[in-house]
Amino acid sequence: MAIAPKDVVQAFVDALNRQDWDRLGELITPDFIYTIQAYDLPGAGTPMTGETLVGVLSQMLALFDATGPQIEITRLVGDGDCVVAEAVGSGFFRDGSRYDNRYANVYEISGDRVSAVREYMDTQHTAQSFAAVTSERGD
């Protein structure tokens, strides 16, 4: 039985929130590509494979408390194999400072897996938040 594209996106985000890398691997195609659609963040604009994405996320999540940032989808809009998700992400860095961001991500679905994600976010907020916590750590 085929899974609806919106349900695939929800499962993908749920796996990210749980940091369940095995499940995430099951939900992406072998040729999966993830791209942060920005100009001014390190690595942005460079398509990442699933393996690269997990590596980047692992480094990023080391800055957060044990729960990591949680993504809450506030709206899903689908058109065939394309799903757009509006979401908010929030959590706490290990130093106790809060992280809040807004996202609009475009997901391309192939069957019951995600083949591509294009992430749009408040890049200024992201850069400032991460700069503050990494400068405190001496990174």
Side-chain angles (χ1 to χ4, degrees):
M1 182 169 137
I3 300 172
K6 289 181 185 179
D7 293 336
V8 174
V9 170
Q10 186 64 63
F12 181 92
V13 171
D14 290 346
L16 282 175
N17 283 340
R18 291 189 315 273
Q19 299 176 34
D20 184 345
W21 310 129
D22 291 334
R23 178 66 178 137
L24 194 69
E26 294 169 358
L27 289 166
I28 62 175
T29 62
D31 60 345
F32 171 83
I33 295 294
Y34 192 98
T35 309
I36 297 172
Q37 299 295 108
Y39 297 104
D40 55 353
L41 292 176
T46 303
M48 291 182 266
T49 65
E51 184 177 334
T52 302
L53 175 64
V54 169
V56 169
L57 287 174
S58 296
Q59 291 176 357
M60 181 198 73
L61 291 170
L63 300 172
F64 285 87
D65 68 12
T67 61
Q70 296 295 297
I71 306 298
E72 177 188 352
I73 295 174
T74 57
R75 185 174 191 191
L76 285 173
V77 178
D79 182 20
D81 62 356
C82 182
V83 176
V84 176
E86 289 182 325
V88 293
S90 60
F92 290 93
F93 289 104
R94 290 197 183 277
D95 71 357
S97 60
R98 185 150 180 84
Y99 176 77
D100 289 299
N101 210 337
R102 296 182 183 116
Y103 303 91
N105 294 337
V106 179
Y107 294 81
E108 293 180 25
I109 308 301
S110 178
D112 58 357
R113 294 179 176 208
V114 179
S115 60
V117 178
R118 290 181 301 283
E119 178 178 317
Y120 300 84
M121 70 180 108
D122 182 338
T123 56
Q124 181 178 11
H125 172 72
T126 299
Q128 290 173 343
S129 296
F130 280 84
V133 297
T134 55
S135 67
E136 290 174 10
R137 289 175 36 141
D139 292 346

